[in-house]
Amino acid sequence: MLVLNRFTVPTETQDGFRDQAHAALAALARTPGYRSGRLAQAIEDPTGWTLVTEWESVGAYRRALGAYDVKLYATPLLAHSLDEPSAFETLASADPGADVVVTASDRAADPWR
């Protein structure tokens, strides 16, 4: 599971944003099912930022959002992300030099249940 949150951050507020993003990333990293994460700034536009995290499953990500530290440190930051899809389920992957591995969906067949 890949979560990609994009932000537009004015130059004059980037120091505060960076501190808040570091705290959010640390809170997310302490939750079960977290695999990796990184904060990145766009090369072409210094106001463009993204917080990318990887999770072992859809459920692990959803459970992480309920953790106290995540609510305290990550949720306020994520509320400022661009209003667009951010959570993506990995359905195929390939390690360097390896074949493509196709994975079945982890989501419920009936999402309304």
Side-chain angles (χ1 to χ4, degrees):
M1 164 109 199
L2 176 71
V3 180
L4 181 113
N5 296 100
R6 294 187 321 130
F7 303 86
T8 300
V9 184
T11 306
E12 62 274 6
T13 63
Q14 288 189 3
D15 288 341
F17 170 80
R18 190 178 299 112
D19 292 343
Q20 189 177 13
H22 291 173
L25 188 56
L28 291 165
R30 289 189 294 268
T31 61
Y34 174 89
R35 288 195 174 160
S36 69
R38 55 204 155 277
L39 176 66
Q41 186 177 25
I43 296 170
E44 301 85 5
D45 177 3
T47 65
W49 290 79
T50 188
L51 179 65
V52 180
T53 55
E54 292 183 58
W55 301 86
E56 71 181 26
S57 68
V58 173
Y61 171 63
R62 289 182 177 163
R63 285 186 295 278
L65 293 177
Y68 177 77
D69 278 356
V70 171
K71 287 181 180 180
L72 187 63
Y73 297 109
T75 301
L77 176 79
L78 299 177
H80 293 289
S81 66
L82 298 178
D83 186 14
E84 61 187 19
S86 61
F88 300 88
E89 183 177 26
T90 302
L91 299 176
S93 61
D95 290 329
D99 292 335
V100 172
V101 176
V102 177
T103 308
S105 177
D106 190 37
R107 296 185 306 166
D110 299 324
W112 56 88
R113 290 187 178 188

Short mmCIF file of all heavy atoms in Angstrom, two decimals, residues 16-87:
data_model
loop_
_atom_site.label_atom_id
_atom_site.label_comp_id
_atom_site.label_asym_id
_atom_site.label_seq_id
_atom_site.Cartn_x
_atom_site.Cartn_y
_atom_site.Cartn_z
N GLY A 16 8.46 25.68 9.25
CA GLY A 16 7.42 25.12 10.12
C GLY A 16 6.80 23.87 9.52
O GLY A 16 6.53 22.90 10.24
N PHE A 17 6.57 23.89 8.21
CA PHE A 17 6.02 22.71 7.55
C PHE A 17 6.96 21.52 7.68
O PHE A 17 6.55 20.41 7.99
CB PHE A 17 5.76 23.00 6.06
CG PHE A 17 5.42 21.76 5.28
CD1 PHE A 17 4.14 21.24 5.31
CD2 PHE A 17 6.39 21.10 4.54
CE1 PHE A 17 3.82 20.08 4.62
CE2 PHE A 17 6.09 19.95 3.83
CZ PHE A 17 4.80 19.43 3.87
N ARG A 18 8.23 21.76 7.46
CA ARG A 18 9.23 20.68 7.55
C ARG A 18 9.24 20.06 8.94
O ARG A 18 9.23 18.84 9.08
CB ARG A 18 10.61 21.22 7.18
CG ARG A 18 11.67 20.15 7.01
CD ARG A 18 13.03 20.72 6.60
NE ARG A 18 12.96 21.41 5.33
CZ ARG A 18 13.11 22.74 5.16
NH1 ARG A 18 13.31 23.53 6.19
NH2 ARG A 18 13.05 23.26 3.95
N ASP A 19 9.21 20.89 9.97
CA ASP A 19 9.18 20.39 11.35
C ASP A 19 7.91 19.56 11.60
O ASP A 19 7.97 18.49 12.20
CB ASP A 19 9.24 21.53 12.36
CG ASP A 19 10.59 22.24 12.36
OD1 ASP A 19 11.57 21.67 11.84
OD2 ASP A 19 10.64 23.38 12.87
N GLN A 20 6.78 20.06 11.13
CA GLN A 20 5.51 19.34 11.31
C GLN A 20 5.52 18.03 10.54
O GLN A 20 5.05 17.00 11.03
CB GLN A 20 4.35 20.23 10.85
CG GLN A 20 2.99 19.68 11.21
CD GLN A 20 1.86 20.61 10.79
OE1 GLN A 20 2.04 21.57 10.04
NE2 GLN A 20 0.67 20.32 11.28
N ALA A 21 6.08 18.04 9.34
CA ALA A 21 6.15 16.81 8.53
C ALA A 21 7.08 15.78 9.17
O ALA A 21 6.78 14.58 9.14
CB ALA A 21 6.61 17.15 7.12
N HIS A 22 8.17 16.22 9.75
CA HIS A 22 9.07 15.28 10.44
C HIS A 22 8.36 14.62 11.61
O HIS A 22 8.49 13.40 11.83
CB HIS A 22 10.33 16.01 10.94
CG HIS A 22 11.23 16.46 9.84
ND1 HIS A 22 12.32 17.26 10.08
CD2 HIS A 22 11.21 16.25 8.50
CE1 HIS A 22 12.93 17.52 8.93
NE2 HIS A 22 12.27 16.91 7.97
N ALA A 23 7.60 15.40 12.38
CA ALA A 23 6.86 14.84 13.52
C ALA A 23 5.79 13.86 13.04
O ALA A 23 5.58 12.81 13.64
CB ALA A 23 6.23 15.97 14.34
N ALA A 24 5.12 14.20 11.95
CA ALA A 24 4.09 13.31 11.39
C ALA A 24 4.72 12.01 10.91
O ALA A 24 4.20 10.91 11.18
CB ALA A 24 3.37 14.01 10.24
N LEU A 25 5.83 12.11 10.21
CA LEU A 25 6.51 10.92 9.70
C LEU A 25 6.98 10.03 10.84
O LEU A 25 6.83 8.80 10.79
CB LEU A 25 7.68 11.33 8.81
CG LEU A 25 8.39 10.24 8.02
CD1 LEU A 25 7.42 9.45 7.14
CD2 LEU A 25 9.50 10.85 7.16
N ALA A 26 7.49 10.62 11.89
CA ALA A 26 7.94 9.85 13.07
C ALA A 26 6.76 9.14 13.72
O ALA A 26 6.86 7.96 14.11
CB ALA A 26 8.63 10.76 14.07
N ALA A 27 5.62 9.82 13.84
CA ALA A 27 4.43 9.20 14.44
C ALA A 27 3.95 8.03 13.58
O ALA A 27 3.62 6.96 14.11
CB ALA A 27 3.32 10.23 14.61
N LEU A 28 3.90 8.21 12.29
CA LEU A 28 3.48 7.13 11.40
C LEU A 28 4.45 5.96 11.47
O LEU A 28 4.03 4.79 11.49
CB LEU A 28 3.37 7.65 9.96
CG LEU A 28 2.23 8.64 9.70
CD1 LEU A 28 2.45 9.37 8.38
CD2 LEU A 28 0.89 7.93 9.73
N ALA A 29 5.74 6.24 11.56
CA ALA A 29 6.76 5.19 11.58
C ALA A 29 6.67 4.31 12.83
O ALA A 29 7.16 3.17 12.81
CB ALA A 29 8.16 5.81 11.49
N ARG A 30 6.07 4.81 13.88
CA ARG A 30 5.94 4.03 15.12
C ARG A 30 4.73 3.10 15.13
O ARG A 30 4.51 2.38 16.10
CB ARG A 30 5.85 4.98 16.32
CG ARG A 30 7.16 5.69 16.64
CD ARG A 30 7.09 6.45 17.96
NE ARG A 30 6.16 7.56 17.92
CZ ARG A 30 6.49 8.81 17.60
NH1 ARG A 30 7.73 9.10 17.26
NH2 ARG A 30 5.58 9.77 17.62
N THR A 31 3.94 3.07 14.06
CA THR A 31 2.74 2.24 14.06
C THR A 31 2.99 0.90 13.39
O THR A 31 3.81 0.79 12.47
CB THR A 31 1.57 2.96 13.35
OG1 THR A 31 1.93 3.23 12.00
CG2 THR A 31 1.23 4.26 14.05
N PRO A 32 2.28 -0.15 13.85
CA PRO A 32 2.42 -1.48 13.23
C PRO A 32 2.00 -1.45 11.76
O PRO A 32 1.04 -0.77 11.39
CB PRO A 32 1.46 -2.35 14.04
CG PRO A 32 1.28 -1.64 15.34
CD PRO A 32 1.38 -0.17 15.01
N GLY A 33 2.74 -2.16 10.94
CA GLY A 33 2.43 -2.25 9.52
C GLY A 33 3.11 -1.21 8.66
O GLY A 33 3.05 -1.28 7.43
N TYR A 34 3.77 -0.23 9.28
CA TYR A 34 4.52 0.80 8.54
C TYR A 34 5.76 0.15 7.94
O TYR A 34 6.46 -0.60 8.61
CB TYR A 34 4.92 1.91 9.51
CG TYR A 34 5.83 2.96 8.94
CD1 TYR A 34 5.31 4.09 8.32
CD2 TYR A 34 7.21 2.84 9.04
CE1 TYR A 34 6.14 5.07 7.82
CE2 TYR A 34 8.05 3.82 8.54
CZ TYR A 34 7.51 4.93 7.93
OH TYR A 34 8.34 5.89 7.43
N ARG A 35 6.02 0.41 6.67
CA ARG A 35 7.22 -0.13 6.02
C ARG A 35 8.29 0.91 5.77
O ARG A 35 9.47 0.67 6.00
CB ARG A 35 6.83 -0.81 4.71
CG ARG A 35 6.11 -2.11 4.91
CD ARG A 35 6.09 -2.90 3.64
NE ARG A 35 5.53 -4.22 3.90
CZ ARG A 35 5.03 -4.98 2.96
NH1 ARG A 35 5.04 -4.58 1.70
NH2 ARG A 35 4.54 -6.16 3.25
N SER A 36 7.91 2.07 5.25
CA SER A 36 8.90 3.12 4.99
C SER A 36 8.17 4.43 4.72
O SER A 36 6.96 4.44 4.50
CB SER A 36 9.79 2.77 3.79
OG SER A 36 9.03 2.81 2.59
N GLY A 37 8.94 5.50 4.75
CA GLY A 37 8.35 6.80 4.45
C GLY A 37 9.43 7.80 4.11
O GLY A 37 10.59 7.63 4.49
N ARG A 38 9.03 8.84 3.40
CA ARG A 38 9.98 9.89 3.05
C ARG A 38 9.23 11.19 2.76
O ARG A 38 8.10 11.18 2.28
CB ARG A 38 10.87 9.49 1.90
CG ARG A 38 10.18 9.06 0.64
CD ARG A 38 11.10 8.16 -0.20
NE ARG A 38 10.36 7.28 -1.06
CZ ARG A 38 9.83 6.12 -0.69
NH1 ARG A 38 9.94 5.69 0.53
NH2 ARG A 38 9.18 5.37 -1.54
N LEU A 39 9.89 12.28 3.06
CA LEU A 39 9.41 13.62 2.75
C LEU A 39 10.26 14.12 1.60
O LEU A 39 11.49 14.05 1.65
CB LEU A 39 9.57 14.52 3.98
CG LEU A 39 9.20 15.99 3.80
CD1 LEU A 39 7.71 16.14 3.54
CD2 LEU A 39 9.61 16.78 5.04
N ALA A 40 9.61 14.62 0.56
CA ALA A 40 10.35 15.06 -0.63
C ALA A 40 9.85 16.42 -1.09
O ALA A 40 8.66 16.73 -0.96
CB ALA A 40 10.21 14.04 -1.75
N GLN A 41 10.76 17.21 -1.65
CA GLN A 41 10.43 18.52 -2.20
C GLN A 41 10.63 18.48 -3.71
O GLN A 41 11.61 17.90 -4.20
CB GLN A 41 11.32 19.59 -1.58
CG GLN A 41 10.97 21.00 -1.98
CD GLN A 41 11.84 22.02 -1.28
OE1 GLN A 41 12.96 21.72 -0.86
NE2 GLN A 41 11.33 23.23 -1.16
N ALA A 42 9.71 19.09 -4.44
CA ALA A 42 9.79 19.10 -5.91
C ALA A 42 11.02 19.87 -6.36
O ALA A 42 11.35 20.93 -5.81
CB ALA A 42 8.53 19.72 -6.50
N ILE A 43 11.70 19.35 -7.34
CA ILE A 43 12.88 20.01 -7.90
C ILE A 43 12.47 21.21 -8.75
O ILE A 43 13.10 22.26 -8.71
CB ILE A 43 13.71 19.01 -8.73
CG1 ILE A 43 14.25 17.92 -7.81
CG2 ILE A 43 14.83 19.72 -9.47
CD1 ILE A 43 14.89 16.76 -8.54
N GLU A 44 11.38 21.06 -9.50
CA GLU A 44 10.95 22.10 -10.43
C GLU A 44 10.23 23.27 -9.75
O GLU A 44 10.18 24.36 -10.29
CB GLU A 44 10.01 21.52 -11.49
CG GLU A 44 10.59 20.42 -12.32
CD GLU A 44 10.44 19.05 -11.66
OE1 GLU A 44 9.81 18.93 -10.59
OE2 GLU A 44 10.98 18.08 -12.23
N ASP A 45 9.63 23.02 -8.58
CA ASP A 45 8.85 24.04 -7.88
C ASP A 45 9.06 23.87 -6.38
O ASP A 45 8.53 22.93 -5.79
CB ASP A 45 7.37 23.88 -8.23
CG ASP A 45 6.47 24.85 -7.50
OD1 ASP A 45 6.97 25.71 -6.74
OD2 ASP A 45 5.24 24.76 -7.68
N PRO A 46 9.83 24.74 -5.75
CA PRO A 46 10.16 24.55 -4.34
C PRO A 46 8.95 24.63 -3.39
O PRO A 46 9.07 24.31 -2.22
CB PRO A 46 11.16 25.67 -4.04
CG PRO A 46 11.00 26.65 -5.13
CD PRO A 46 10.48 25.92 -6.32
N THR A 47 7.78 25.01 -3.88
CA THR A 47 6.59 25.02 -3.03
C THR A 47 5.87 23.66 -3.04
O THR A 47 4.95 23.44 -2.28
CB THR A 47 5.58 26.11 -3.44
OG1 THR A 47 5.07 25.83 -4.74
CG2 THR A 47 6.24 27.49 -3.43
N GLY A 48 6.31 22.76 -3.91
CA GLY A 48 5.69 21.44 -4.01
C GLY A 48 6.39 20.42 -3.12
O GLY A 48 7.61 20.23 -3.19
N TRP A 49 5.64 19.79 -2.24
CA TRP A 49 6.15 18.79 -1.31
C TRP A 49 5.28 17.55 -1.36
O TRP A 49 4.11 17.62 -1.71
CB TRP A 49 6.12 19.32 0.12
CG TRP A 49 7.12 20.40 0.39
CD1 TRP A 49 7.01 21.72 0.05
CD2 TRP A 49 8.37 20.27 1.07
NE1 TRP A 49 8.12 22.41 0.46
CE2 TRP A 49 8.97 21.53 1.11
CE3 TRP A 49 9.03 19.20 1.65
CZ2 TRP A 49 10.20 21.76 1.70
CZ3 TRP A 49 10.26 19.42 2.25
CH2 TRP A 49 10.83 20.69 2.26
N THR A 50 5.85 16.41 -0.99
CA THR A 50 5.07 15.19 -0.86
C THR A 50 5.57 14.38 0.32
O THR A 50 6.77 14.37 0.61
CB THR A 50 5.09 14.35 -2.16
OG1 THR A 50 4.18 13.28 -2.05
CG2 THR A 50 6.47 13.82 -2.46
N LEU A 51 4.63 13.74 0.99
CA LEU A 51 4.93 12.79 2.06
C LEU A 51 4.48 11.44 1.53
O LEU A 51 3.30 11.25 1.25
CB LEU A 51 4.19 13.16 3.34
CG LEU A 51 4.41 12.23 4.53
CD1 LEU A 51 5.87 12.25 4.99
CD2 LEU A 51 3.48 12.60 5.68
N VAL A 52 5.42 10.52 1.37
CA VAL A 52 5.14 9.20 0.81
C VAL A 52 5.40 8.16 1.88
O VAL A 52 6.49 8.14 2.47
CB VAL A 52 6.04 8.90 -0.42
CG1 VAL A 52 5.74 7.54 -0.99
CG2 VAL A 52 5.89 9.99 -1.47
N THR A 53 4.41 7.32 2.14
CA THR A 53 4.59 6.22 3.09
C THR A 53 4.15 4.92 2.44
O THR A 53 3.29 4.91 1.57
CB THR A 53 3.79 6.44 4.40
OG1 THR A 53 2.41 6.66 4.10
CG2 THR A 53 4.34 7.63 5.18
N GLU A 54 4.78 3.83 2.89
CA GLU A 54 4.42 2.50 2.40
C GLU A 54 3.98 1.66 3.59
O GLU A 54 4.58 1.73 4.67
CB GLU A 54 5.61 1.85 1.70
CG GLU A 54 5.97 2.55 0.41
CD GLU A 54 7.11 1.86 -0.31
OE1 GLU A 54 6.97 0.65 -0.61
OE2 GLU A 54 8.12 2.52 -0.55
N TRP A 55 2.96 0.83 3.36
CA TRP A 55 2.32 0.04 4.41
C TRP A 55 2.18 -1.40 3.97
O TRP A 55 2.07 -1.68 2.79
CB TRP A 55 0.94 0.63 4.73
CG TRP A 55 1.06 2.05 5.18
CD1 TRP A 55 1.12 3.17 4.39
CD2 TRP A 55 1.22 2.50 6.51
NE1 TRP A 55 1.30 4.29 5.17
CE2 TRP A 55 1.36 3.90 6.47
CE3 TRP A 55 1.25 1.84 7.73
CZ2 TRP A 55 1.52 4.66 7.63
CZ3 TRP A 55 1.40 2.60 8.88
CH2 TRP A 55 1.54 3.99 8.82
N GLU A 56 2.14 -2.31 4.95
CA GLU A 56 2.02 -3.73 4.60
C GLU A 56 0.64 -4.08 4.06
O GLU A 56 0.50 -5.07 3.34
CB GLU A 56 2.38 -4.61 5.78
CG GLU A 56 1.39 -4.62 6.91
CD GLU A 56 1.82 -5.50 8.06
OE1 GLU A 56 3.03 -5.74 8.25
OE2 GLU A 56 0.93 -5.96 8.78
N SER A 57 -0.39 -3.30 4.41
CA SER A 57 -1.74 -3.58 3.92
C SER A 57 -2.63 -2.35 4.07
O SER A 57 -2.28 -1.40 4.78
CB SER A 57 -2.35 -4.74 4.70
OG SER A 57 -2.58 -4.36 6.05
N VAL A 58 -3.78 -2.41 3.43
CA VAL A 58 -4.77 -1.35 3.57
C VAL A 58 -5.20 -1.24 5.03
O VAL A 58 -5.29 -0.15 5.59
CB VAL A 58 -6.00 -1.64 2.66
CG1 VAL A 58 -7.11 -0.64 2.92
CG2 VAL A 58 -5.60 -1.63 1.20
N GLY A 59 -5.44 -2.38 5.67
CA GLY A 59 -5.86 -2.39 7.07
C GLY A 59 -4.84 -1.77 8.00
O GLY A 59 -5.19 -1.03 8.93
N ALA A 60 -3.56 -2.05 7.78
CA ALA A 60 -2.50 -1.48 8.62
C ALA A 60 -2.51 0.04 8.52
O ALA A 60 -2.38 0.74 9.53
CB ALA A 60 -1.14 -2.04 8.22
N TYR A 61 -2.68 0.56 7.32
CA TYR A 61 -2.73 2.01 7.13
C TYR A 61 -3.94 2.61 7.84
O TYR A 61 -3.83 3.59 8.56
CB TYR A 61 -2.74 2.35 5.65
CG TYR A 61 -3.01 3.81 5.38
CD1 TYR A 61 -2.13 4.79 5.81
CD2 TYR A 61 -4.17 4.21 4.70
CE1 TYR A 61 -2.38 6.13 5.57
CE2 TYR A 61 -4.42 5.55 4.47
CZ TYR A 61 -3.53 6.50 4.91
OH TYR A 61 -3.79 7.83 4.68
N ARG A 62 -5.08 1.99 7.65
CA ARG A 62 -6.31 2.50 8.28
C ARG A 62 -6.21 2.46 9.80
O ARG A 62 -6.65 3.38 10.48
CB ARG A 62 -7.52 1.73 7.77
CG ARG A 62 -7.83 2.07 6.32
CD ARG A 62 -9.05 1.35 5.84
NE ARG A 62 -9.36 1.75 4.47
CZ ARG A 62 -10.15 1.09 3.68
NH1 ARG A 62 -10.74 -0.03 4.09
NH2 ARG A 62 -10.38 1.51 2.46
N ARG A 63 -5.65 1.39 10.34
CA ARG A 63 -5.48 1.30 11.79
C ARG A 63 -4.50 2.36 12.29
O ARG A 63 -4.69 2.95 13.36
CB ARG A 63 -5.03 -0.10 12.20
CG ARG A 63 -6.15 -1.13 12.15
CD ARG A 63 -5.71 -2.47 12.72
NE ARG A 63 -4.67 -3.11 11.93
CZ ARG A 63 -4.88 -3.83 10.82
NH1 ARG A 63 -6.12 -4.01 10.38
NH2 ARG A 63 -3.88 -4.38 10.18
N ALA A 64 -3.45 2.62 11.52
CA ALA A 64 -2.47 3.63 11.92
C ALA A 64 -3.10 5.00 12.07
O ALA A 64 -2.73 5.78 12.96
CB ALA A 64 -1.33 3.69 10.91
N LEU A 65 -4.07 5.31 11.22
CA LEU A 65 -4.72 6.62 11.29
C LEU A 65 -5.47 6.82 12.61
O LEU A 65 -5.73 7.95 13.00
CB LEU A 65 -5.68 6.80 10.11
CG LEU A 65 -5.01 6.90 8.75
CD1 LEU A 65 -6.07 7.01 7.65
CD2 LEU A 65 -4.03 8.05 8.67
N GLY A 66 -5.77 5.73 13.31
CA GLY A 66 -6.46 5.82 14.59
C GLY A 66 -5.54 5.91 15.79
O GLY A 66 -6.00 6.13 16.91
N ALA A 67 -4.24 5.76 15.59
CA ALA A 67 -3.28 5.82 16.69
C ALA A 67 -3.22 7.23 17.27
O ALA A 67 -3.29 8.23 16.54
CB ALA A 67 -1.90 5.38 16.21
N TYR A 68 -3.08 7.32 18.59
CA TYR A 68 -3.09 8.61 19.28
C TYR A 68 -2.04 9.58 18.72
O TYR A 68 -2.35 10.73 18.38
CB TYR A 68 -2.88 8.42 20.79
CG TYR A 68 -2.81 9.72 21.52
CD1 TYR A 68 -3.97 10.43 21.81
CD2 TYR A 68 -1.58 10.27 21.91
CE1 TYR A 68 -3.93 11.65 22.47
CE2 TYR A 68 -1.53 11.48 22.58
CZ TYR A 68 -2.70 12.17 22.85
OH TYR A 68 -2.64 13.37 23.50
N ASP A 69 -0.78 9.13 18.60
CA ASP A 69 0.28 10.01 18.10
C ASP A 69 0.03 10.45 16.66
O ASP A 69 0.38 11.57 16.28
CB ASP A 69 1.65 9.34 18.20
CG ASP A 69 2.25 9.44 19.59
OD1 ASP A 69 1.64 10.10 20.46
OD2 ASP A 69 3.32 8.85 19.81
N VAL A 70 -0.55 9.56 15.86
CA VAL A 70 -0.86 9.93 14.47
C VAL A 70 -1.94 11.01 14.46
O VAL A 70 -1.84 11.99 13.72
CB VAL A 70 -1.28 8.69 13.66
CG1 VAL A 70 -1.82 9.09 12.29
CG2 VAL A 70 -0.09 7.74 13.51
N LYS A 71 -2.96 10.85 15.30
CA LYS A 71 -4.01 11.87 15.39
C LYS A 71 -3.43 13.20 15.86
O LYS A 71 -3.84 14.27 15.40
CB LYS A 71 -5.11 11.43 16.34
CG LYS A 71 -5.99 10.35 15.78
CD LYS A 71 -7.08 9.98 16.78
CE LYS A 71 -7.97 8.89 16.25
NZ LYS A 71 -9.02 8.54 17.22
N LEU A 72 -2.46 13.15 16.76
CA LEU A 72 -1.86 14.34 17.33
C LEU A 72 -0.90 15.04 16.36
O LEU A 72 -0.92 16.27 16.24
CB LEU A 72 -1.13 13.98 18.63
CG LEU A 72 -0.57 15.12 19.45
CD1 LEU A 72 -1.68 16.04 19.95
CD2 LEU A 72 0.21 14.55 20.64
N TYR A 73 -0.06 14.26 15.68
CA TYR A 73 1.01 14.85 14.86
C TYR A 73 0.79 14.77 13.35
O TYR A 73 1.20 15.67 12.63
CB TYR A 73 2.36 14.19 15.18
CG TYR A 73 2.79 14.41 16.60
CD1 TYR A 73 2.79 13.38 17.52
CD2 TYR A 73 3.19 15.68 17.03
CE1 TYR A 73 3.18 13.58 18.83
CE2 TYR A 73 3.57 15.90 18.34
CZ TYR A 73 3.57 14.85 19.23
OH TYR A 73 3.95 15.06 20.54
N ALA A 74 0.18 13.70 12.85
CA ALA A 74 0.04 13.53 11.41
C ALA A 74 -1.26 14.09 10.86
O ALA A 74 -1.27 14.73 9.80
CB ALA A 74 0.19 12.06 11.03
N THR A 75 -2.36 13.86 11.57
CA THR A 75 -3.66 14.29 11.05
C THR A 75 -3.72 15.79 10.76
O THR A 75 -4.21 16.18 9.70
CB THR A 75 -4.80 13.85 11.99
OG1 THR A 75 -4.76 12.42 12.10
CG2 THR A 75 -6.15 14.27 11.47
N PRO A 76 -3.21 16.66 11.65
CA PRO A 76 -3.23 18.09 11.33
C PRO A 76 -2.45 18.43 10.05
O PRO A 76 -2.87 19.29 9.28
CB PRO A 76 -2.60 18.75 12.55
CG PRO A 76 -2.82 17.78 13.66
CD PRO A 76 -2.72 16.42 13.02
N LEU A 77 -1.35 17.75 9.83
CA LEU A 77 -0.57 17.97 8.61
C LEU A 77 -1.33 17.45 7.40
O LEU A 77 -1.46 18.15 6.39
CB LEU A 77 0.79 17.26 8.70
CG LEU A 77 1.62 17.36 7.43
CD1 LEU A 77 2.30 18.71 7.35
CD2 LEU A 77 2.63 16.24 7.36
N LEU A 78 -1.85 16.23 7.48
CA LEU A 78 -2.53 15.62 6.34
C LEU A 78 -3.78 16.40 5.94
O LEU A 78 -4.18 16.38 4.78
CB LEU A 78 -2.89 14.17 6.66
CG LEU A 78 -1.68 13.26 6.96
CD1 LEU A 78 -2.15 11.86 7.33
CD2 LEU A 78 -0.71 13.23 5.80
N ALA A 79 -4.37 17.12 6.89
CA ALA A 79 -5.54 17.94 6.58
C ALA A 79 -5.20 19.06 5.60
O ALA A 79 -6.09 19.60 4.93
CB ALA A 79 -6.12 18.52 7.86
N HIS A 80 -3.92 19.40 5.47
CA HIS A 80 -3.49 20.46 4.55
C HIS A 80 -3.01 19.91 3.20
O HIS A 80 -2.57 20.69 2.35
CB HIS A 80 -2.38 21.30 5.19
CG HIS A 80 -2.85 22.08 6.36
ND1 HIS A 80 -3.68 23.17 6.26
CD2 HIS A 80 -2.63 21.90 7.69
CE1 HIS A 80 -3.94 23.63 7.46
NE2 HIS A 80 -3.32 22.89 8.35
N SER A 81 -3.09 18.60 3.01
CA SER A 81 -2.65 18.04 1.73
C SER A 81 -3.66 18.40 0.65
O SER A 81 -4.82 18.75 0.93
CB SER A 81 -2.46 16.53 1.82
OG SER A 81 -3.68 15.88 2.06
N LEU A 82 -3.22 18.33 -0.59
CA LEU A 82 -4.11 18.63 -1.71
C LEU A 82 -5.27 17.66 -1.72
O LEU A 82 -5.12 16.48 -1.38
CB LEU A 82 -3.33 18.54 -3.04
CG LEU A 82 -2.17 19.53 -3.18
CD1 LEU A 82 -1.46 19.31 -4.52
CD2 LEU A 82 -2.65 20.96 -3.07
N ASP A 83 -6.45 18.14 -2.11
CA ASP A 83 -7.66 17.32 -2.13
C ASP A 83 -7.67 16.46 -3.39
O ASP A 83 -8.17 16.87 -4.43
CB ASP A 83 -8.89 18.22 -2.07
CG ASP A 83 -10.18 17.45 -1.93
OD1 ASP A 83 -10.13 16.24 -1.61
OD2 ASP A 83 -11.26 18.04 -2.14
N GLU A 84 -7.07 15.30 -3.27
CA GLU A 84 -6.96 14.35 -4.38
C GLU A 84 -6.75 12.96 -3.79
O GLU A 84 -6.41 12.84 -2.62
CB GLU A 84 -5.80 14.73 -5.29
CG GLU A 84 -4.45 14.71 -4.60
CD GLU A 84 -3.32 15.23 -5.47
OE1 GLU A 84 -3.58 15.94 -6.45
OE2 GLU A 84 -2.16 14.93 -5.14
N PRO A 85 -6.96 11.91 -4.58
CA PRO A 85 -6.70 10.56 -4.05
C PRO A 85 -5.27 10.46 -3.53
O PRO A 85 -4.33 10.98 -4.14
CB PRO A 85 -6.91 9.66 -5.27
CG PRO A 85 -7.81 10.43 -6.16
CD PRO A 85 -7.43 11.88 -5.97
N SER A 86 -5.10 9.81 -2.37
CA SER A 86 -3.77 9.72 -1.78
C SER A 86 -3.36 8.30 -1.42
O SER A 86 -2.18 8.03 -1.26
CB SER A 86 -3.68 10.60 -0.53
OG SER A 86 -4.62 10.18 0.43
N ALA A 87 -4.30 7.38 -1.26
CA ALA A 87 -3.97 6.01 -0.85
C ALA A 87 -4.13 5.09 -2.06
O ALA A 87 -5.19 5.04 -2.69
CB ALA A 87 -4.89 5.57 0.28
#
